[in-house]
Amino acid sequence: MKVFLALSFSLFLNYGSIAVTPVLQDTLVINQKEAEGLFLHNNLDLIIQKLNINQAEAQVIQAKLWPNPEFSVDEVNLWATKNQLSSGERLPPIIGKFGKNQQFSAALEQRIETAGKRKKRIALESVSRDIAAEYYSELLRNLKTDLRKNIFELSYKQSFLAVLTQQNSALEKLLAAFENQYRQNNISKTEVFRLKALKLELGQQILEARNEMHGVQKELSVLLNIPSQRYIQADIPASVNLDGIKSLTLDELQLSAVTNRPDGKISFLEETLASKKYDLEYAQRKPDLTLGTNYDRGGNFLLNFIGFGFKMDLPVFNRNQGNILESKIGIEKSKVVSEQKTKSIEAEVTQAFRVLQNSLQAYEALDPNYGQDLDQVFQTYTGYFIQRRINMVEYLDFFDAYISNKRTILSTTRQLIENLEDLYFVTASEIR
């Protein structure tokens, strides 16, 4: 089975490389490994999400900082009053002649957080940072799957376009021969018209196939962040280890998905985040303590007065009851969301596994030699048609059947690979 897949997939890749690649200097021939390396380095969405992680890390740094002390100066008189001078209540200068007869006060305060609020805030921001990292992993998982599917889709479209182009080339030669016979009055004009109509229809199929291929090229140029005018030629390895896939069980795949999926990890981290938020909100019910010292010059019975004190809120009315209740409900909500996510992941894995089994059965039903036999039969039918051993209707029917069967062979192989990628995606693991 592995050999058959390699032969059939390399067959349509070789078609594409021979007949479809345009003669352009600005052509990027790239395989899957090279595409993923370029994607990891260049993709703008990944760069943005990395910056989000850096922002979350900065919030952890901010949470670790202590509150700044507060320093204030007030009650400063800029000049002495007449009553002060006449009464003799004069103040000596502070330094030299500076500050003579001037009164002022200064205070220094430091807020002390109670109930471990700082540690709880650090823990909360740390979980937020971990969530940002998992969002990066989730974005990477989605975009990498898009990249791989587009690479395989490009290979398929380039290969099918090669089939159409090859048939178009053969039809042009056949049409030229029939036109020559028509000029010699050996065949009727109707037969030439039928071949021209077939060529016109085939040309429309080629046009549609090229347009679809350019659409995939556009998606890849965005994912790889390369100039849109560059033509991408897919060079994808043909072998796929189907034996390893057949040995897997649904239970193993579901366990892998629940353990490895970033979106599943995010749901569990959301539970932790809700718990950390509750801890912080519960700690907020205890008021913080502010310690302070103040200096007063000339405003008291002492010339230089130094005092100490503290202040705190009295939790009489507001003990953060609403926020505590809201965060407690958030814990219950996050548990339900996490459970729902687990069920959803298990269902997705089950569906992907069953779809892959169906694709595998369809692929194994193909005759390994059918593609080559089809080419030989087509050449034989063309020879019979030229020799007039079959009529025009029979030949045109087989011509359509040939292209349809070629499309089916390529589509079956492509579908198998895409379903395999879907299984990689839902399990968040490289099952090779």
PDB file of all heavy atoms in Angstrom, residues 174-194:
ATOM      1  N   LEU A 174      -3.844  15.448 -32.995  1.00  0.00           N
ATOM      2  CA  LEU A 174      -4.905  14.695 -33.654  1.00  0.00           C
ATOM      3  C   LEU A 174      -5.760  15.612 -34.530  1.00  0.00           C
ATOM      4  O   LEU A 174      -6.117  15.256 -35.664  1.00  0.00           O
ATOM      5  CB  LEU A 174      -5.762  14.002 -32.599  1.00  0.00           C
ATOM      6  CG  LEU A 174      -6.874  13.080 -33.111  1.00  0.00           C
ATOM      7  CD1 LEU A 174      -6.289  11.928 -33.921  1.00  0.00           C
ATOM      8  CD2 LEU A 174      -7.692  12.547 -31.939  1.00  0.00           C
ATOM      9  N   LEU A 175      -6.068  16.788 -34.022  1.00  0.00           N
ATOM     10  CA  LEU A 175      -6.876  17.730 -34.786  1.00  0.00           C
ATOM     11  C   LEU A 175      -6.149  18.185 -36.041  1.00  0.00           C
ATOM     12  O   LEU A 175      -6.759  18.319 -37.112  1.00  0.00           O
ATOM     13  CB  LEU A 175      -7.231  18.930 -33.907  1.00  0.00           C
ATOM     14  CG  LEU A 175      -8.081  20.023 -34.562  1.00  0.00           C
ATOM     15  CD1 LEU A 175      -9.418  19.450 -35.047  1.00  0.00           C
ATOM     16  CD2 LEU A 175      -8.327  21.164 -33.571  1.00  0.00           C
ATOM     17  N   ALA A 176      -4.847  18.430 -35.909  1.00  0.00           N
ATOM     18  CA  ALA A 176      -4.072  18.838 -37.089  1.00  0.00           C
ATOM     19  C   ALA A 176      -4.093  17.744 -38.145  1.00  0.00           C
ATOM     20  O   ALA A 176      -4.223  18.027 -39.359  1.00  0.00           O
ATOM     21  CB  ALA A 176      -2.633  19.154 -36.671  1.00  0.00           C
ATOM     22  N   ALA A 177      -3.984  16.483 -37.715  1.00  0.00           N
ATOM     23  CA  ALA A 177      -4.013  15.379 -38.674  1.00  0.00           C
ATOM     24  C   ALA A 177      -5.381  15.281 -39.349  1.00  0.00           C
ATOM     25  O   ALA A 177      -5.482  15.053 -40.562  1.00  0.00           O
ATOM     26  CB  ALA A 177      -3.678  14.074 -37.957  1.00  0.00           C
ATOM     27  N   PHE A 178      -6.461  15.472 -38.571  1.00  0.00           N
ATOM     28  CA  PHE A 178      -7.804  15.379 -39.145  1.00  0.00           C
ATOM     29  C   PHE A 178      -8.084  16.548 -40.079  1.00  0.00           C
ATOM     30  O   PHE A 178      -8.786  16.373 -41.096  1.00  0.00           O
ATOM     31  CB  PHE A 178      -8.841  15.320 -38.017  1.00  0.00           C
ATOM     32  CG  PHE A 178      -9.202  13.921 -37.615  1.00  0.00           C
ATOM     33  CD1 PHE A 178      -8.237  13.073 -37.096  1.00  0.00           C
ATOM     34  CD2 PHE A 178     -10.482  13.438 -37.776  1.00  0.00           C
ATOM     35  CE1 PHE A 178      -8.556  11.785 -36.730  1.00  0.00           C
ATOM     36  CE2 PHE A 178     -10.812  12.143 -37.415  1.00  0.00           C
ATOM     37  CZ  PHE A 178      -9.842  11.297 -36.887  1.00  0.00           C
ATOM     38  N   GLU A 179      -7.599  17.719 -39.743  1.00  0.00           N
ATOM     39  CA  GLU A 179      -7.787  18.856 -40.660  1.00  0.00           C
ATOM     40  C   GLU A 179      -7.078  18.613 -41.982  1.00  0.00           C
ATOM     41  O   GLU A 179      -7.567  18.983 -43.056  1.00  0.00           O
ATOM     42  CB  GLU A 179      -7.279  20.140 -39.996  1.00  0.00           C
ATOM     43  CG  GLU A 179      -8.187  20.659 -38.888  1.00  0.00           C
ATOM     44  CD  GLU A 179      -7.619  21.906 -38.233  1.00  0.00           C
ATOM     45  OE1 GLU A 179      -6.394  22.089 -38.289  1.00  0.00           O
ATOM     46  OE2 GLU A 179      -8.410  22.681 -37.640  1.00  0.00           O
ATOM     47  N   ASN A 180      -5.912  17.999 -41.911  1.00  0.00           N
ATOM     48  CA  ASN A 180      -5.189  17.654 -43.140  1.00  0.00           C
ATOM     49  C   ASN A 180      -5.975  16.634 -43.965  1.00  0.00           C
ATOM     50  O   ASN A 180      -6.056  16.745 -45.200  1.00  0.00           O
ATOM     51  CB  ASN A 180      -3.808  17.106 -42.778  1.00  0.00           C
ATOM     52  CG  ASN A 180      -2.969  16.803 -43.998  1.00  0.00           C
ATOM     53  OD1 ASN A 180      -2.831  17.626 -44.902  1.00  0.00           O
ATOM     54  ND2 ASN A 180      -2.392  15.597 -44.040  1.00  0.00           N
ATOM     55  N   GLN A 181      -6.569  15.636 -43.287  1.00  0.00           N
ATOM     56  CA  GLN A 181      -7.395  14.649 -43.992  1.00  0.00           C
ATOM     57  C   GLN A 181      -8.652  15.277 -44.576  1.00  0.00           C
ATOM     58  O   GLN A 181      -9.110  14.890 -45.662  1.00  0.00           O
ATOM     59  CB  GLN A 181      -7.776  13.518 -43.026  1.00  0.00           C
ATOM     60  CG  GLN A 181      -6.607  12.635 -42.611  1.00  0.00           C
ATOM     61  CD  GLN A 181      -6.027  11.867 -43.774  1.00  0.00           C
ATOM     62  OE1 GLN A 181      -6.763  11.288 -44.604  1.00  0.00           O
ATOM     63  NE2 GLN A 181      -4.694  11.887 -43.883  1.00  0.00           N
ATOM     64  N   TYR A 182      -9.197  16.274 -43.848  1.00  0.00           N
ATOM     65  CA  TYR A 182     -10.391  16.955 -44.353  1.00  0.00           C
ATOM     66  C   TYR A 182     -10.072  17.732 -45.625  1.00  0.00           C
ATOM     67  O   TYR A 182     -10.870  17.738 -46.589  1.00  0.00           O
ATOM     68  CB  TYR A 182     -10.938  17.889 -43.287  1.00  0.00           C
ATOM     69  CG  TYR A 182     -12.016  18.827 -43.791  1.00  0.00           C
ATOM     70  CD1 TYR A 182     -13.271  18.351 -44.170  1.00  0.00           C
ATOM     71  CD2 TYR A 182     -11.750  20.191 -43.921  1.00  0.00           C
ATOM     72  CE1 TYR A 182     -14.240  19.202 -44.654  1.00  0.00           C
ATOM     73  CE2 TYR A 182     -12.715  21.052 -44.404  1.00  0.00           C
ATOM     74  CZ  TYR A 182     -13.962  20.561 -44.769  1.00  0.00           C
ATOM     75  OH  TYR A 182     -14.920  21.409 -45.254  1.00  0.00           O
ATOM     76  N   ARG A 183      -8.906  18.384 -45.653  1.00  0.00           N
ATOM     77  CA  ARG A 183      -8.521  19.126 -46.854  1.00  0.00           C
ATOM     78  C   ARG A 183      -8.335  18.186 -48.048  1.00  0.00           C
ATOM     79  O   ARG A 183      -8.462  18.605 -49.201  1.00  0.00           O
ATOM     80  CB  ARG A 183      -7.243  19.902 -46.585  1.00  0.00           C
ATOM     81  CG  ARG A 183      -7.446  21.137 -45.701  1.00  0.00           C
ATOM     82  CD  ARG A 183      -6.226  22.025 -45.688  1.00  0.00           C
ATOM     83  NE  ARG A 183      -5.104  21.390 -44.983  1.00  0.00           N
ATOM     84  CZ  ARG A 183      -4.853  21.525 -43.690  1.00  0.00           C
ATOM     85  NH1 ARG A 183      -5.649  22.307 -42.956  1.00  0.00           N
ATOM     86  NH2 ARG A 183      -3.842  20.919 -43.140  1.00  0.00           N
ATOM     87  N   GLN A 184      -8.038  16.939 -47.767  1.00  0.00           N
ATOM     88  CA  GLN A 184      -7.892  15.958 -48.837  1.00  0.00           C
ATOM     89  C   GLN A 184      -9.200  15.220 -49.134  1.00  0.00           C
ATOM     90  O   GLN A 184      -9.211  14.248 -49.893  1.00  0.00           O
ATOM     91  CB  GLN A 184      -6.799  14.948 -48.458  1.00  0.00           C
ATOM     92  CG  GLN A 184      -5.428  15.569 -48.274  1.00  0.00           C
ATOM     93  CD  GLN A 184      -4.383  14.547 -47.830  1.00  0.00           C
ATOM     94  OE1 GLN A 184      -4.567  13.344 -48.017  1.00  0.00           O
ATOM     95  NE2 GLN A 184      -3.286  15.034 -47.248  1.00  0.00           N
ATOM     96  N   ASN A 185     -10.286  15.694 -48.471  1.00  0.00           N
ATOM     97  CA  ASN A 185     -11.623  15.117 -48.684  1.00  0.00           C
ATOM     98  C   ASN A 185     -11.699  13.646 -48.271  1.00  0.00           C
ATOM     99  O   ASN A 185     -12.482  12.873 -48.835  1.00  0.00           O
ATOM    100  CB  ASN A 185     -12.062  15.272 -50.143  1.00  0.00           C
ATOM    101  CG  ASN A 185     -12.230  16.722 -50.539  1.00  0.00           C
ATOM    102  OD1 ASN A 185     -12.724  17.530 -49.753  1.00  0.00           O
ATOM    103  ND2 ASN A 185     -11.788  17.060 -51.761  1.00  0.00           N
ATOM    104  N   ASN A 186     -10.896  13.268 -47.277  1.00  0.00           N
ATOM    105  CA  ASN A 186     -10.921  11.888 -46.803  1.00  0.00           C
ATOM    106  C   ASN A 186     -11.902  11.695 -45.646  1.00  0.00           C
ATOM    107  O   ASN A 186     -12.329  10.558 -45.381  1.00  0.00           O
ATOM    108  CB  ASN A 186      -9.525  11.443 -46.354  1.00  0.00           C
ATOM    109  CG  ASN A 186      -8.558  11.362 -47.535  1.00  0.00           C
ATOM    110  OD1 ASN A 186      -8.972  11.093 -48.669  1.00  0.00           O
ATOM    111  ND2 ASN A 186      -7.278  11.591 -47.287  1.00  0.00           N
ATOM    112  N   ILE A 187     -12.228  12.777 -44.912  1.00  0.00           N
ATOM    113  CA  ILE A 187     -13.178  12.702 -43.802  1.00  0.00           C
ATOM    114  C   ILE A 187     -14.151  13.866 -43.914  1.00  0.00           C
ATOM    115  O   ILE A 187     -13.914  14.836 -44.648  1.00  0.00           O
ATOM    116  CB  ILE A 187     -12.467  12.751 -42.425  1.00  0.00           C
ATOM    117  CG1 ILE A 187     -11.687  14.068 -42.300  1.00  0.00           C
ATOM    118  CG2 ILE A 187     -11.549  11.559 -42.232  1.00  0.00           C
ATOM    119  CD1 ILE A 187     -11.079  14.256 -40.926  1.00  0.00           C
ATOM    120  N   SER A 188     -15.235  13.765 -43.139  1.00  0.00           N
ATOM    121  CA  SER A 188     -16.255  14.813 -43.198  1.00  0.00           C
ATOM    122  C   SER A 188     -15.882  15.978 -42.280  1.00  0.00           C
ATOM    123  O   SER A 188     -15.084  15.828 -41.345  1.00  0.00           O
ATOM    124  CB  SER A 188     -17.619  14.248 -42.791  1.00  0.00           C
ATOM    125  OG  SER A 188     -17.591  13.870 -41.422  1.00  0.00           O
ATOM    126  N   LYS A 189     -16.496  17.110 -42.576  1.00  0.00           N
ATOM    127  CA  LYS A 189     -16.246  18.310 -41.768  1.00  0.00           C
ATOM    128  C   LYS A 189     -16.805  18.152 -40.363  1.00  0.00           C
ATOM    129  O   LYS A 189     -16.311  18.769 -39.406  1.00  0.00           O
ATOM    130  CB  LYS A 189     -16.885  19.514 -42.461  1.00  0.00           C
ATOM    131  CG  LYS A 189     -16.493  20.857 -41.862  1.00  0.00           C
ATOM    132  CD  LYS A 189     -17.053  21.992 -42.698  1.00  0.00           C
ATOM    133  CE  LYS A 189     -16.587  23.333 -42.149  1.00  0.00           C
ATOM    134  NZ  LYS A 189     -17.109  24.461 -42.959  1.00  0.00           N
ATOM    135  N   THR A 190     -17.821  17.316 -40.211  1.00  0.00           N
ATOM    136  CA  THR A 190     -18.441  17.112 -38.899  1.00  0.00           C
ATOM    137  C   THR A 190     -17.447  16.570 -37.891  1.00  0.00           C
ATOM    138  O   THR A 190     -17.426  16.978 -36.731  1.00  0.00           O
ATOM    139  CB  THR A 190     -19.623  16.146 -39.021  1.00  0.00           C
ATOM    140  OG1 THR A 190     -20.560  16.651 -39.977  1.00  0.00           O
ATOM    141  CG2 THR A 190     -20.309  15.957 -37.673  1.00  0.00           C
ATOM    142  N   GLU A 191     -16.613  15.637 -38.331  1.00  0.00           N
ATOM    143  CA  GLU A 191     -15.637  15.052 -37.413  1.00  0.00           C
ATOM    144  C   GLU A 191     -14.630  16.084 -36.944  1.00  0.00           C
ATOM    145  O   GLU A 191     -14.218  16.090 -35.775  1.00  0.00           O
ATOM    146  CB  GLU A 191     -14.930  13.880 -38.097  1.00  0.00           C
ATOM    147  CG  GLU A 191     -15.836  12.686 -38.349  1.00  0.00           C
ATOM    148  CD  GLU A 191     -15.081  11.518 -38.941  1.00  0.00           C
ATOM    149  OE1 GLU A 191     -14.713  11.603 -40.132  1.00  0.00           O
ATOM    150  OE2 GLU A 191     -14.861  10.529 -38.206  1.00  0.00           O
ATOM    151  N   VAL A 192     -14.217  16.969 -37.854  1.00  0.00           N
ATOM    152  CA  VAL A 192     -13.288  18.036 -37.463  1.00  0.00           C
ATOM    153  C   VAL A 192     -13.950  18.959 -36.450  1.00  0.00           C
ATOM    154  O   VAL A 192     -13.328  19.368 -35.459  1.00  0.00           O
ATOM    155  CB  VAL A 192     -12.824  18.819 -38.708  1.00  0.00           C
ATOM    156  CG1 VAL A 192     -11.924  19.994 -38.300  1.00  0.00           C
ATOM    157  CG2 VAL A 192     -12.079  17.908 -39.677  1.00  0.00           C
ATOM    158  N   PHE A 193     -15.199  19.300 -36.695  1.00  0.00           N
ATOM    159  CA  PHE A 193     -15.912  20.174 -35.755  1.00  0.00           C
ATOM    160  C   PHE A 193     -16.046  19.527 -34.382  1.00  0.00           C
ATOM    161  O   PHE A 193     -15.937  20.191 -33.349  1.00  0.00           O
ATOM    162  CB  PHE A 193     -17.297  20.520 -36.315  1.00  0.00           C
ATOM    163  CG  PHE A 193     -17.274  21.639 -37.306  1.00  0.00           C
ATOM    164  CD1 PHE A 193     -16.086  22.263 -37.663  1.00  0.00           C
ATOM    165  CD2 PHE A 193     -18.452  22.084 -37.899  1.00  0.00           C
ATOM    166  CE1 PHE A 193     -16.069  23.297 -38.583  1.00  0.00           C
ATOM    167  CE2 PHE A 193     -18.443  23.122 -38.817  1.00  0.00           C
ATOM    168  CZ  PHE A 193     -17.234  23.723 -39.172  1.00  0.00           C
ATOM    169  N   ARG A 194     -16.313  18.209 -34.361  1.00  0.00           N
ATOM    170  CA  ARG A 194     -16.435  17.539 -33.070  1.00  0.00           C
ATOM    171  C   ARG A 194     -15.115  17.603 -32.289  1.00  0.00           C
ATOM    172  O   ARG A 194     -15.109  17.809 -31.078  1.00  0.00           O
ATOM    173  CB  ARG A 194     -16.849  16.072 -33.277  1.00  0.00           C
ATOM    174  CG  ARG A 194     -18.251  15.898 -33.824  1.00  0.00           C
ATOM    175  CD  ARG A 194     -19.303  16.320 -32.812  1.00  0.00           C
ATOM    176  NE  ARG A 194     -19.253  15.521 -31.599  1.00  0.00           N
ATOM    177  CZ  ARG A 194     -19.894  14.372 -31.439  1.00  0.00           C
ATOM    178  NH1 ARG A 194     -20.628  13.882 -32.421  1.00  0.00           N
ATOM    179  NH2 ARG A 194     -19.816  13.718 -30.294  1.00  0.00           N
TER     180      ARG A 194
END
